[in-house]
Amino acid sequence: LAEVDLARLKVEASKMLTLVKAMNLVAEVAARYTDVIAAEENLQVKRANIDLAESLVERNKALVTSGKGVQADVTTAELAVYQRQDDFLEAQAQRVERLNALLALIDSKPDFKRRTRFVPVKGFHNGEDLTSKEALVNFALQHRLDISYYGSVVKSARLNLMRSENAAKPELNLVGGAGLYGLDEDAHRAFEEAGDNQGTEWSIGVEFKMNLGKDEGNARIRTAEHQLRQSELGLRKTRTSISLEVDTAHTRVISARQRLKTAIKARELAEENLRTEQELLDQGKGDLYRVIERQQIVGDTKTNVVATQALLSKSVVALWMSSGQLFERFGVTEEWINAIVYEGAPSTK
């Protein structure tokens, strides 16, 4: 049954490669989805920056009208508005670019007239239920498809070695045969004559085979042994590589969490600093340029928070990928994938 087992292992290996491709696609879609969320959040930040600058324009125009302000302050505030509008337009273009990258992955046509709007229904992943690194490594070594794939490769190599060793051995076969004969001008009556034992024949014998030249057989055995060692080495390297991948992904998640805390703290301090400068300006003790500068700093820190949240979300997805949890986390079942591969795309409900 070695040949049958090899064929079965080949089918299993092909199926695993299909699952690996599906997993890579899910991870890529998740990353592009995160980019779209970040682009939407960034647009809101840019819009808020414009609103702050416009509020300064209105304030200084009112001061000029009352005779307490100067036109130069109005011009300065208007300049800040136009600069931030430029940032907003750049963010809009970036949003379209990221959205189209996602639509390409999910095989959706672009909306050239912008009549529809893609609204994310979920936010960033934060990895709150993150387990220990050791537990993640153990889980990955048990569930990663790479391990299963190379396991099937090792089994195939062992079967090939067994077949090579068997082919090099002497072979002794017991062979025999028996027959019935029916002779007649008509085919139907010939079958009837055979049934009446018109003629019988049987034989039995022994067949012995042995390769006179052992070089070819030994060469096949050495080749099979080499392939087995290669597959076992590939399995060991894969196990080591997976452990390192999980370690790297886990470290990136921890680092991204710490960076997010720092970014949030920086945003809070920038907002507090802006409030202080705004109060001083309202009291006639502040400086318009400092207020505009503080507004921009607040906007930059908010943008940094969004970027760090996106980085953390992608790091969490990478950790799920490396630890073999991606399908489970996103609710993708093997039956769902088989339906796509063998039966066509399922309903998107």
Side-chain angles (χ1 to χ4, degrees):
L1 297 177
E3 189 170 351
V4 176
D5 292 337
L6 283 171
R8 185 179 294 110
L9 288 171
K10 186 177 181 180
V11 171
E12 292 178 0
S14 178
K15 185 178 180 180
M16 289 175 197
L17 290 178
T18 301
L19 291 174
V20 169
K21 290 181 180 179
M23 184 174 291
N24 289 331
L25 179 59
V26 170
E28 190 174 359
V29 170
R32 299 289 80 79
Y33 184 87
T34 300
D35 288 339
V36 172
I37 297 174
E40 294 285 351
E41 296 279 350
N42 199 32
L43 275 177
Q44 295 180 18
V45 171
K46 301 300 183 184
R47 180 71 261 179
N49 284 351
I50 294 174
D51 292 341
L52 287 175
E54 288 178 342
S55 65
L56 283 180
V57 172
E58 297 301 323
R59 175 188 179 278
N60 284 284
K61 283 183 177 180
L63 289 175
V64 171
T65 302
S66 64
K68 298 179 181 179
V70 294
Q71 184 61 37
D73 289 343
V74 176
T75 303
T76 301
E78 288 177 339
L79 176 60
V81 171
Y82 285 110
Q83 288 175 333
R84 293 173 193 181
Q85 285 177 344
D86 182 70
D87 291 342
F88 181 80
L89 294 174
E90 175 63 25
Q92 278 186 321
Q94 188 180 64
R95 173 190 172 277
V96 172
E97 178 183 350
R98 293 182 175 183
L99 178 57
N100 285 339
L102 175 61
L103 295 178
L105 286 176
I106 61 178
D107 196 23
S108 180
K109 296 181 180 179
D111 180 19
F112 295 116
K113 296 184 179 180
R114 306 286 183 261
R115 292 179 177 175
T116 58
R117 182 165 175 259
F118 184 92
V119 180
V121 296
K122 290 186 179 180
F124 299 109
H125 303 292
N126 52 25
E128 291 180 349
D129 55 347
L130 187 65
T131 57
S132 67
K133 187 184 302 182
E134 292 75 13
L136 289 171
V137 170
N138 291 332
F139 187 89
L141 294 178
Q142 294 175 8
H143 296 86
R144 275 281 293 260
L145 294 173
D146 316 50
I147 299 292
S148 301
Y149 172 77
Y150 277 101
S152 66
V153 173
V154 170
K155 290 178 182 178
S156 298
R158 288 173 180 168
L159 286 173
N160 283 325
L161 176 59
M162 182 186 68
R163 295 180 68 190
S164 299
E165 290 174 343
N166 288 342
K169 295 176 181 178
E171 182 179 346
L172 179 65
N173 297 321
L174 178 65
V175 296
L180 296 175
Y181 293 90
L183 184 63
D184 198 284
E185 294 179 353
D186 183 79
H188 179 69
R189 288 196 299 270
F191 277 108
E192 292 179 346
E193 294 292 346
D196 293 337
N197 292 329
Q198 186 184 55
T200 61
E201 179 181 315
W202 62 273
S203 63
I204 189 170
V206 176
E207 180 184 68
F208 177 74
K209 295 180 180 179
M210 183 180 69
N211 293 325
L212 297 179
K214 296 183 178 181
D215 293 341
E216 182 179 355
N218 291 336
R220 291 178 179 175
I221 293 175
R222 288 195 298 271
T223 300
E225 289 175 342
H226 179 65
Q227 291 174 345
L228 176 59
R229 287 194 297 270
Q230 278 188 323
S231 60
E232 290 175 340
L233 178 61
L235 179 59
R236 288 195 297 270
K237 289 178 65 176
T238 299
R239 294 176 65 90
T240 302
S241 177
I242 287 174
S243 300
L244 295 174
E245 285 179 19
V246 174
D247 182 34
T248 301
H250 187 276
T251 301
R252 285 179 176 172
V253 170
I254 299 302
S255 175
R257 278 181 172 179
Q258 294 172 344
R259 290 179 61 183
L260 180 58
K261 290 181 180 179
T262 302
I264 292 175
K265 185 62 177 178
R267 181 191 64 190
E268 293 173 351
L269 293 174
E271 290 173 340
E272 182 180 351
N273 199 358
L274 174 60
R275 284 193 297 270
T276 301
E277 289 294 336
Q278 186 67 52
E279 290 175 359
L280 291 173
L281 183 65
D282 293 340
Q283 296 170 7
K285 302 177 182 178
D287 182 84
L288 178 63
Y289 290 96
R290 281 209 303 265
V291 172
I292 293 175
E293 181 185 22
R294 298 301 186 271
Q295 287 181 350
Q296 188 60 43
I297 292 175
V298 169
D300 291 342
T301 56
K302 287 182 178 180
T303 299
N304 188 42
V305 168
V306 172
T308 308
Q309 286 176 325
L311 175 65
L312 174 58
S313 184
K314 290 183 178 181
S315 299
V316 171
V317 172
L319 181 59
W320 291 345
M321 178 78 172
S322 63
S323 59
Q325 304 180 63
L326 194 67
F327 283 165
E328 178 184 354
R329 293 287 186 172
F330 286 105
V332 179
T333 63
E334 187 174 338
E335 291 76 14
W336 189 86
I337 297 173
N338 289 338
I340 295 179
V341 175
Y342 301 111
E343 303 172 10
S347 171
T348 56
K349 263 188 179 177

mmCIF file of all heavy atoms in Angstrom, residues 121-136:
data_model
loop_
_atom_site.group_PDB
_atom_site.id
_atom_site.type_symbol
_atom_site.label_atom_id
_atom_site.label_comp_id
_atom_site.label_asym_id
_atom_site.label_seq_id
_atom_site.Cartn_x
_atom_site.Cartn_y
_atom_site.Cartn_z
ATOM 1 N N VAL A 121 -16.481 48.256 10.605
ATOM 2 C CA VAL A 121 -17.403 47.899 11.681
ATOM 3 C C VAL A 121 -16.660 47.501 12.956
ATOM 4 O O VAL A 121 -17.277 47.365 14.021
ATOM 5 C CB VAL A 121 -18.324 46.743 11.240
ATOM 6 C CG1 VAL A 121 -19.206 47.190 10.097
ATOM 7 C CG2 VAL A 121 -17.513 45.515 10.820
ATOM 8 N N LYS A 122 -15.359 47.294 12.863
ATOM 9 C CA LYS A 122 -14.556 46.952 14.031
ATOM 10 C C LYS A 122 -13.304 47.817 14.044
ATOM 11 O O LYS A 122 -12.832 48.272 13.004
ATOM 12 C CB LYS A 122 -14.170 45.473 14.023
ATOM 13 C CG LYS A 122 -15.339 44.524 14.269
ATOM 14 C CD LYS A 122 -14.863 43.093 14.392
ATOM 15 C CE LYS A 122 -16.026 42.152 14.674
ATOM 16 N NZ LYS A 122 -15.586 40.751 14.790
ATOM 17 N N GLY A 123 -12.786 48.031 15.233
ATOM 18 C CA GLY A 123 -11.606 48.867 15.374
ATOM 19 C C GLY A 123 -10.320 48.067 15.352
ATOM 20 O O GLY A 123 -10.227 47.000 14.756
ATOM 21 N N PHE A 124 -9.323 48.594 16.051
ATOM 22 C CA PHE A 124 -8.014 47.958 16.067
ATOM 23 C C PHE A 124 -8.004 46.778 17.042
ATOM 24 O O PHE A 124 -8.751 46.737 18.014
ATOM 25 C CB PHE A 124 -6.949 48.969 16.495
ATOM 26 C CG PHE A 124 -6.841 50.155 15.576
ATOM 27 C CD1 PHE A 124 -7.279 51.415 15.969
ATOM 28 C CD2 PHE A 124 -6.294 50.017 14.315
ATOM 29 C CE1 PHE A 124 -7.180 52.508 15.130
ATOM 30 C CE2 PHE A 124 -6.187 51.102 13.459
ATOM 31 C CZ PHE A 124 -6.629 52.349 13.873
ATOM 32 N N HIS A 125 -7.102 45.822 16.762
ATOM 33 C CA HIS A 125 -6.857 44.723 17.698
ATOM 34 C C HIS A 125 -5.814 45.192 18.716
ATOM 35 O O HIS A 125 -4.791 45.771 18.344
ATOM 36 C CB HIS A 125 -6.342 43.493 16.966
ATOM 37 C CG HIS A 125 -7.258 43.012 15.876
ATOM 38 N ND1 HIS A 125 -8.490 42.456 16.126
ATOM 39 C CD2 HIS A 125 -7.120 43.010 14.520
ATOM 40 C CE1 HIS A 125 -9.066 42.126 14.982
ATOM 41 N NE2 HIS A 125 -8.256 42.464 13.993
ATOM 42 N N ASN A 126 -6.077 44.924 19.993
ATOM 43 C CA ASN A 126 -5.129 45.365 21.024
ATOM 44 C C ASN A 126 -4.445 44.219 21.754
ATOM 45 O O ASN A 126 -3.570 44.441 22.575
ATOM 46 C CB ASN A 126 -5.832 46.283 22.039
ATOM 47 C CG ASN A 126 -7.096 45.643 22.601
ATOM 48 O OD1 ASN A 126 -7.231 44.429 22.631
ATOM 49 N ND2 ASN A 126 -8.037 46.473 23.040
ATOM 50 N N GLY A 127 -4.850 42.978 21.474
ATOM 51 C CA GLY A 127 -4.186 41.832 22.093
ATOM 52 C C GLY A 127 -4.332 41.776 23.598
ATOM 53 O O GLY A 127 -3.384 41.396 24.301
ATOM 54 N N GLU A 128 -5.504 42.126 24.104
ATOM 55 C CA GLU A 128 -5.698 42.130 25.554
ATOM 56 C C GLU A 128 -5.582 40.734 26.160
ATOM 57 O O GLU A 128 -5.136 40.582 27.285
ATOM 58 C CB GLU A 128 -7.067 42.729 25.893
ATOM 59 C CG GLU A 128 -7.174 44.227 25.614
ATOM 60 C CD GLU A 128 -8.540 44.774 25.964
ATOM 61 O OE1 GLU A 128 -9.447 43.967 26.227
ATOM 62 O OE2 GLU A 128 -8.692 46.011 25.975
ATOM 63 N N ASP A 129 -5.997 39.710 25.413
ATOM 64 C CA ASP A 129 -5.963 38.339 25.938
ATOM 65 C C ASP A 129 -4.668 37.626 25.558
ATOM 66 O O ASP A 129 -4.642 36.408 25.382
ATOM 67 C CB ASP A 129 -7.162 37.547 25.422
ATOM 68 C CG ASP A 129 -7.245 37.564 23.900
ATOM 69 O OD1 ASP A 129 -6.529 38.370 23.270
ATOM 70 O OD2 ASP A 129 -8.019 36.768 23.348
ATOM 71 N N LEU A 130 -3.599 38.366 25.442
ATOM 72 C CA LEU A 130 -2.313 37.793 25.058
ATOM 73 C C LEU A 130 -1.805 36.849 26.145
ATOM 74 O O LEU A 130 -1.741 37.213 27.320
ATOM 75 C CB LEU A 130 -1.298 38.913 24.828
ATOM 76 C CG LEU A 130 0.065 38.513 24.259
ATOM 77 C CD1 LEU A 130 -0.096 37.962 22.860
ATOM 78 C CD2 LEU A 130 0.999 39.708 24.260
ATOM 79 N N THR A 131 -1.450 35.620 25.754
ATOM 80 C CA THR A 131 -0.924 34.636 26.704
ATOM 81 C C THR A 131 0.605 34.719 26.726
ATOM 82 O O THR A 131 1.213 35.531 26.045
ATOM 83 C CB THR A 131 -1.371 33.226 26.319
ATOM 84 O OG1 THR A 131 -0.949 32.942 24.978
ATOM 85 C CG2 THR A 131 -2.888 33.109 26.385
ATOM 86 N N SER A 132 1.222 33.840 27.522
ATOM 87 C CA SER A 132 2.678 33.873 27.657
ATOM 88 C C SER A 132 3.352 33.426 26.357
ATOM 89 O O SER A 132 2.765 32.715 25.529
ATOM 90 C CB SER A 132 3.121 32.958 28.797
ATOM 91 O OG SER A 132 2.858 31.596 28.471
ATOM 92 N N LYS A 133 4.587 33.830 26.194
ATOM 93 C CA LYS A 133 5.337 33.490 24.996
ATOM 94 C C LYS A 133 5.522 31.980 24.878
ATOM 95 O O LYS A 133 5.414 31.407 23.780
ATOM 96 C CB LYS A 133 6.691 34.197 25.033
ATOM 97 C CG LYS A 133 7.494 34.069 23.763
ATOM 98 C CD LYS A 133 8.861 34.703 23.918
ATOM 99 C CE LYS A 133 8.773 36.160 24.301
ATOM 100 N NZ LYS A 133 10.094 36.801 24.410
ATOM 101 N N GLU A 134 5.798 31.327 25.995
ATOM 102 C CA GLU A 134 6.013 29.883 25.969
ATOM 103 C C GLU A 134 4.757 29.143 25.534
ATOM 104 O O GLU A 134 4.815 28.190 24.735
ATOM 105 C CB GLU A 134 6.456 29.388 27.355
ATOM 106 C CG GLU A 134 7.833 29.855 27.794
ATOM 107 C CD GLU A 134 7.843 31.320 28.225
ATOM 108 O OE1 GLU A 134 6.745 31.907 28.410
ATOM 109 O OE2 GLU A 134 8.944 31.891 28.353
ATOM 110 N N ALA A 135 3.601 29.584 26.041
ATOM 111 C CA ALA A 135 2.339 28.941 25.656
ATOM 112 C C ALA A 135 2.064 29.138 24.169
ATOM 113 O O ALA A 135 1.577 28.220 23.487
ATOM 114 C CB ALA A 135 1.192 29.502 26.494
ATOM 115 N N LEU A 136 2.383 30.315 23.651
ATOM 116 C CA LEU A 136 2.166 30.579 22.234
ATOM 117 C C LEU A 136 3.077 29.717 21.362
ATOM 118 O O LEU A 136 2.656 29.217 20.311
ATOM 119 C CB LEU A 136 2.401 32.063 21.937
ATOM 120 C CG LEU A 136 1.341 33.030 22.479
ATOM 121 C CD1 LEU A 136 1.815 34.467 22.316
ATOM 122 C CD2 LEU A 136 0.016 32.826 21.767
#
